[in-house]
Amino acid sequence: MPHAVRRATSADYSIRLASVSKVYGSAKTAVQALDAVSIELRRGTFTAVMGPSGSGKSTFLNCAAGLDRPTSGSVWLGDVELSRLNEVQLTEVRRQRIGFIFQAYNLLGSLNVEENVTLPLRLADKKTDPEFLREVFTAVGLGEHFRRRPSELSGGQQQRVAIARALINHPDVVVADEPTGALDTRSSKQVLELLRGIVDDMGQTVLMVTHDPVTASYADSVVFLADGRLAGDLPRPTPDQVAARMTHLGEW
Ligand code: ADP
């Protein structure tokens, strides 16, 4: 019997956007932040989103991660259509199935490292699996620091705590917004190698917004946005190729 070519199913994708548009404001003041964006992110891949300022990157990330609702079109996380969920369900999905990493780390200063990392589990009323916790701490290189407060750590270490927190729920996707924006070159490199590692070694899916070509080059592919529309992609990106594309798209 001939082999059928296996078609991709929803299980192969962590996030899908189908013709997503987002309009802010109305009538005369309306701004089309996203214009019919369709994209599919395969599980276990690392995707960077780039584009000039105002091109819609944050709006794209917010819609993909259920932080904002599209004006039209649909967003799927695995086989769940986010656009159909009510606020309570959406909050639940964000908490349980999406890991967030922000430029400013967003750790709670009154909690120690271990408490910050396990907070998503406590919020979801789930037990901590000590073995997985140890695995995550080892992966992010924070084994000996778990009793420290965030203020006793460097920026790079704080971001690694945030990455551990993002992983603790085994999310369908880890969403990162300028994760190295506040870090020096050396710490940035460590954080990006860690993100690369969670994709390669743990099979995680990472979606990252950045304006930096070197940061973007750690991804498997870069998708470009211009004026709210997809403006091509670049598989196996190098910093020079990314920079050339960005120059082509206009001012950064
Ligand atoms: P980027 O992240 O690429 O800089 P954004 O997604 O922040 O782009 O913004 C895309 C467009 O939408 C811009 O023109 C911006 O001014 C507009 N925009 C973003 N958020 C809002 C908002 N809450 N209200 C009105 N306009 C917005």
Side-chain angles (χ1 to χ4, degrees), residues 22 24-25 29 31-34 51-60 62 68 209 225 228:
K22 176 74 185 181
Y24 289 109
T29 60
V31 176
Q32 177 107 39
L34 290 179
S53 177
S55 59
K57 299 183 296 295
S58 305
T59 307
F60 173 87
N62 290 344
D68 201 352
V209 162
L225 280 173

Side-chain angles (χ1 to χ4, degrees), residues 74-85:
S74 52
V75 178
W76 296 77
L77 182 68
D79 52 6
V80 175
E81 188 179 351
L82 298 186
S83 19
R84 284 185 187 273
L85 303 180

Side-chain angles (χ1 to χ4, degrees), residues 150-197:
S151 59
E152 296 166 332
L153 301 174
S154 70
Q157 287 171 329
Q158 290 187 57
Q159 194 60 304
R160 287 189 272 137
V161 175
I163 293 172
R165 179 183 57 185
L167 294 172
I168 203 71
N169 255 342
H170 304 279
D172 288 73
V173 65
V174 172
V175 165
D177 192 358
E178 296 283 7
T180 57
L183 299 177
D184 60 40
T185 311
R186 191 168 146 266
S187 304
S188 293
K189 190 165 179 286
Q190 288 176 346
V191 161
L192 289 164
E193 281 169 356
L194 175 56
L195 290 176
R196 191 62 257 173

Side-chain angles (χ1 to χ4, degrees), residues 11-12 15 57 70 76-78 84-85 96 103 115 118 129 133 139 144 164 179 238 247:
D12 294 324
I15 290 190
K57 299 183 296 295
W76 296 77
L77 182 68
R84 284 185 187 273
L85 303 180
Q96 308 236 0
Q103 178 171 341
E115 290 162 345
T118 54
D129 170 357
L133 185 63
E144 69 276 32
T238 66
T247 302

Side-chain angles (χ1 to χ4, degrees), residues 189-223:
K189 190 165 179 286
Q190 288 176 346
V191 161
L192 289 164
E193 281 169 356
L194 175 56
L195 290 176
R196 191 62 257 173
I198 68 172
V199 175
D200 293 340
D201 306 334
M202 298 172 93
Q204 274 293 341
T205 310
V206 176
L207 174 62
M208 169 179 78
V209 162
T210 180
H211 67 276
D212 176 42
V214 173
T215 302
S217 71
Y218 281 79
D220 295 309
S221 69
V222 181
V223 297

